[in-house]
Amino acid sequence: MCGIVGYIGDKNCVPILIEGLKRLEYRGYDSAGLGLLYNGNASAIKSKGKVSLLEDKIEGLNIKSSLGIGHTRWATHGEPSEINAHPHGNDSGSMFIIHNGIIENYAVIKKRLQKLGYVFKSDTDSEVLVHLIDDFHKKGNSLFHSTRLALSQVDGTYGIAVISKTEPDKIIVAKNGSPLVIGIGDDENFIASDVNALIAHTSKIVYLEDGEIAEVYKDSFMAKTITDEDILKEIVQVEMDLDEISKSGYQHFMIKEIMEQTESVTNSMRGRLLVEEGLAKLGGLKGFEDQIAKSNRIIIVACGTSWHAGLVAEYMFEQFAEIPVEVEYASEFRYRNPVILPNDTMIFISQSGETADTLAALKEAKRRGALCLGVCNAVGSSIARESHTGVYIHAGPEIGVASTKAFTSQLVVLALITMLIARKRHMSLADGKSIISEMATLPAKIERILKLNDHIEKIAEDFVNAKNFLYLGRGYNFPVALEGALKLKEISYIHAEGYPAAEMKHGPIALIDENMPAVFISPKDSVYEKVISNIEEVKARKGRIIAVASENDDKIDSLVDYTIKIPDTIRMLMPILTVIPLQLLAYHIAVKKGLNVDQPRNLAKSVTVE
Ligand code: M6R
């Protein structure tokens, strides 16, 4: 979850590191720090809070350095504080490390090192790494081998970077379970946890794999496995535009990303809709289509918003591909004894492609022989690389912690996978054509929904002081209710629950009174009349109701307090439209409460720890 960046070259690295940390701040924002080598010295400058506070602190010091590492933290062990901020230094202050991940056996190692006289200053698990590396270094091992030997004693996950004034021409980096890339420049090199931090400087990237360690000089690098075997790493050209990772005039990344959905959904479909054949073309699945279509069962594994996309896919696959589906939380799946049968296909959905639980579940599924398909946004991410086959959603970088455009693009790609399978099984050409044609109309419909932004902002004004919210929907729109509630709680800190509308009378109806707003997702579909009955039940108990309804629904206005009218589409695609007003509602409520919607408290964009 933490962000890591580093530079080695001839330039002053301080502004480069600060800029990189700002781009990574969505990964963690409770404290930040730099480790620098300059004038024969090593030092760390750290600050609690956001990167801008570190920047203020460093400005007054007027330090110039051409080798440095930077870190922005999301606390796991030890409270957010300057002491617990990274980098952590050895006793003599000659060596510094930054770390993303969790060292599970840190307590045992710490005790052993304390007995040897090492003094720990922080409450973090990470600090054991610097003392352990130092211990090997003092015994005459090079910085590279000291790091390698130290890491071979460690259980857990890490992306780390190490610098030392004893070997001032290199940065050592290693990866296990947390992302780490090397950026290749001209007579300068970079390291980072995330390509976003480097893209202003280079698009030539080397992805380290788990169990790999590298020594990075200003003009070269060398990589090995932790077990000391030589490896050759490929340099990959990454396509990313700097504009994609800046706010482009918007107040927040979240609203920029919501507003981008016409384009992101278009990009997810680009070149993939074969209208005449009523088919989807997904190059990433080439060679696996028949095997997937012959599956006896599909198991979908994901977390958070991606899990909600998986729930929508359950409806899609069962309705059109007629394959039984199970949708699992990755964190639960990996610790059960999941029964994987021959002819099961597993789909792993992840925006970041780095979520620790999803990645671990994927590795376990592979071990048990399942065919594993990744649906990821981040190109080259761990889940994308670990999967046997997969489809990128091409939503473009998503920086706001609350996932928005990735969700709609995930749904588009899951609909395309459904079509691919369904057409190989039972779906007729005519049905295929009509669904694919309908998909092509989505961007224009999204454009119309986004024009409701001002209307939704006005509605939001009336709910700034709400303490609780219920989100209710049925069928395809039940997962949308869950997603709407998640959006609201994560950025506005208002308690919200999503429910299948008909379940309300089995418990939650007891909560309804004039202080309990209820958001109904009630487009005119086959369960419309049933949802209207649920609306009546809430109205009878004086609940305040917001309805996301169909444009041509005149009946609903008299039943509810607020309506958000959106264009219709077929049921399977409806969640791609109905979720957008809920994203906007959550956004405006949070902004009106004066909250930092891009970096909500306690959260981080990419959950790379368990
Ligand atoms: O990168 P992933 O899609 O694997 O992330 C999964 C969840 O951590 C993520 O969706 C999280 O729930 C978001 N904050 C939701 O807005």
Side-chain angles (χ1 to χ4, degrees):
M1 335 255 287
C2 311
I4 284 180
V5 64
Y7 174 86
I8 179 165
D10 296 323
K11 295 181 188 144
N12 177 15
C13 68
V14 174
I16 297 173
L17 297 180
I18 293 288
E19 179 222 301
L21 287 183
K22 283 185 177 167
R23 290 197 196 285
L24 289 175
E25 207 166 16
Y26 67 98
R27 296 184 66 102
Y29 30 85
D30 63 49
S31 55
L34 298 186
L36 303 168
L37 298 187
Y38 61 99
N39 302 337
N41 284 317
S43 79
I45 300 116
K46 313 201 262 189
S47 166
K48 186 180 167 189
K50 298 179 68 70
V51 174
S52 55
L53 297 175
L54 176 71
E55 186 178 20
D56 292 346
K57 190 167 181 176
I58 224 158
E59 240 164 41
L61 301 174
N62 197 23
I63 297 172
K64 291 205 170 26
S65 154
S66 54
L67 190 160
I69 52 179
H71 187 269
T72 174
R73 178 171 185 250
W74 186 87
T76 59
H77 296 60
E79 58 163 10
S81 67
E82 196 167 312
I83 289 281
N84 289 333
H86 298 218
H88 294 290
N90 64 350
D91 288 345
S92 66
S94 59
M95 179 192 293
F96 288 96
I97 65 115
I98 51 177
H99 168 231
N100 171 21
I102 292 183
I103 305 302
E104 285 164 6
N105 58 342
Y106 83 98
V108 183
I109 300 176
K110 185 171 175 175
K111 232 182 224 157
R112 203 177 74 216
L113 290 166
Q114 278 172 328
K115 276 193 191 142
L116 293 173
Y118 289 94
V119 179
F120 283 75
K121 297 174 206 76
S122 76
D123 304 319
T124 66
D125 54 329
S126 309
E127 195 184 346
V128 296
L129 291 172
V130 73
H131 297 301
L132 197 54
I133 297 169
D134 192 26
D135 197 51
F136 281 110
H137 202 35
K138 280 180 187 155
K139 290 174 182 149
N141 296 293
S142 67
L143 190 61
F144 179 83
H145 285 292
S146 302
T147 308
R148 194 181 63 70
L149 292 166
L151 292 177
S152 59
Q153 297 194 352
V154 150
D155 294 332
T157 54
Y158 53 79
I160 76 161
V162 189
I163 57 171
S164 172
K165 72 175 189 183
T166 55
E167 295 185 29
D169 57 344
K170 67 192 67 157
I171 303 175
I172 311 294
V173 286
K175 168 182 171 0
N176 190 43
S178 302
L180 208 299
V181 299
I182 303 170
I184 308 296
D186 289 335
D187 250 0
E188 58 182 4
N189 283 324
F190 306 82
I191 60 108
S193 50
D194 193 320
V195 175
N196 284 358
L198 308 184
I199 210 68
H201 307 284
T202 180
S203 54
K204 288 190 212 148
I205 302 294
V206 176
Y207 291 94
L208 281 197
E209 299 292 343
D210 284 351
E212 292 181 355
I213 177 166
E215 187 163 61
V216 183
Y217 295 88
K218 75 170 193 176
D219 51 4
S220 63
F221 72 95
M222 176 277 287
K224 281 183 176 254
T225 64
I226 293 288
T227 48
D228 208 18
E229 287 153 40
D230 292 332
I231 40 173
L232 271 181
K233 297 296 296 178
E234 190 193 349
I235 299 175
V236 179
Q237 187 73 37
V238 171
E239 311 282 336
M240 199 189 278
D241 188 343
L242 204 53
D243 223 32
E244 290 182 307
I245 53 170
S246 52
K247 287 191 201 150
S248 312
Y250 284 98
Q251 196 186 347
H252 298 104
F253 280 111
M254 183 175 174
I255 188 70
K256 176 185 175 239
E257 287 157 7
I258 293 173
M259 291 299 176
E260 269 171 3
Q261 288 178 103
T262 313
E263 203 186 319
S264 51
V265 160
T266 304
N267 289 339
S268 305
M269 295 191 294
R270 196 181 300 286
R272 293 170 163 177
L273 303 183
L274 304 181
V275 181
E276 284 317 306
E277 290 105 308
L279 272 178
K281 182 178 162 199
L282 294 168
L285 301 185
K286 209 162 179 228
F288 291 91
E289 294 105 319
D290 287 334
Q291 195 182 343
I292 297 168
K294 284 185 190 135
S295 306
N296 289 335
R297 181 172 65 151
I298 291 177
I299 304 174
I300 300 175
V301 178
C303 304
T305 290
S306 298
W307 184 77
H308 296 155
L311 290 181
V312 177
E314 180 177 19
Y315 288 85
M316 293 176 178
F317 288 132
E318 292 192 347
Q319 184 179 0
F320 294 103
E322 297 174 25
I323 300 181
V325 177
E326 285 170 29
V327 187
E328 303 258 8
Y329 283 118
S331 51
E332 291 300 315
F333 176 86
R334 63 183 288 201
Y335 286 112
R336 286 209 333 268
N337 182 19
V339 179
I340 311 279
L341 302 170
N343 296 332
D344 276 349
T345 292
M346 296 198 56
I347 302 184
F348 295 84
I349 309 173
S350 175
Q351 185 287 126
S352 62
E354 301 293 348
T355 300
D357 284 322
T358 312
L359 183 57
L362 164 61
K363 288 180 180 166
E364 180 60 19
K366 271 175 83 180
R367 216 179 51 73
R368 289 174 184 240
L371 171 66
C372 297
L373 191 163
V375 174
C376 295
N377 191 30
V379 175
S381 55
S382 301
I383 293 170
R385 283 179 293 135
E386 276 282 338
S387 303
H388 296 120
T389 178
V391 186
Y392 282 117
I393 64 170
H394 293 312
E398 191 181 66
I399 311 283
V401 164
S403 186
T404 53
K405 65 175 181 172
F407 181 68
T408 45
S409 286
Q410 285 167 341
L411 297 185
V412 165
V413 164
L414 291 163
L416 292 171
I417 298 173
T418 305
M419 294 305 292
L420 191 103
I421 303 174
R423 287 282 286 118
K424 279 191 179 282
R425 289 167 72 101
H426 321 277
M427 187 184 277
S428 68
L429 171 63
D431 287 349
K433 268 184 166 180
S434 102
I435 295 176
I436 295 289
S437 310
E438 186 58 30
M439 289 190 80
T441 69
L442 286 172
K445 290 178 178 172
I446 292 174
E447 191 68 37
R448 276 159 61 198
I449 297 172
L450 293 173
K451 292 212 170 97
L452 299 173
N453 186 32
D454 291 348
H455 169 60
I456 296 171
E457 185 178 358
K458 278 215 177 70
I459 297 177
E461 269 166 26
D462 292 352
F463 293 93
V464 173
N465 297 318
K467 298 277 174 281
N468 298 287
F469 255 91
L470 267 183
Y471 284 73
L472 301 157
R474 290 189 78 157
Y476 279 96
N477 282 310
F478 157 53
V480 176
L482 295 178
E483 175 59 10
L486 177 65
K487 285 292 86 81
L488 187 73
K489 56 191 151 192
E490 66 183 334
I491 59 168
S492 74
Y493 318 145
I494 295 173
H495 170 247
E497 278 192 61
Y499 253 91
E503 269 295 302
M504 188 182 60
K505 55 187 169 298
H506 299 286
I509 198 163
L511 298 167
I512 307 279
D513 63 14
E514 62 279 13
N515 298 317
M516 172 63 93
V519 179
F520 276 90
I521 302 120
S522 47
K524 273 203 164 170
D525 58 15
S526 57
V527 287
Y528 172 73
E529 290 301 339
K530 296 189 186 302
V531 178
I532 291 293
S533 306
N534 302 136
I535 288 179
E536 298 275 15
E537 287 157 13
V538 173
K539 193 173 145 69
R541 288 161 183 83
K542 298 196 167 51
R544 284 193 296 164
I545 304 174
I546 303 171
V548 176
S550 298
E551 266 172 353
N552 62 355
D553 184 352
D554 302 325
K555 175 172 157 189
I556 204 159
D557 299 87
S558 61
L559 296 177
V560 305
D561 301 277
Y562 307 84
T563 52
I564 303 170
K565 299 272 186 83
I566 63 168
D568 267 324
T569 181
I570 53 175
R571 284 186 72 197
M572 166 200 202
L573 303 178
M574 208 64 217
I576 298 170
L577 303 184
T578 49
V579 75
I580 297 173
L582 307 187
Q583 297 169 345
L584 285 167
L585 184 67
Y587 171 78
H588 287 301
I589 292 177
V591 170
K592 286 180 192 307
K593 288 185 79 175
L595 299 170
N596 183 346
V597 295
D598 282 339
Q599 293 166 353
R601 71 182 177 207
N602 306 337
L603 291 175
K605 182 68 181 164
S606 179
V607 186
T608 53
V609 296
E610 273 194 56

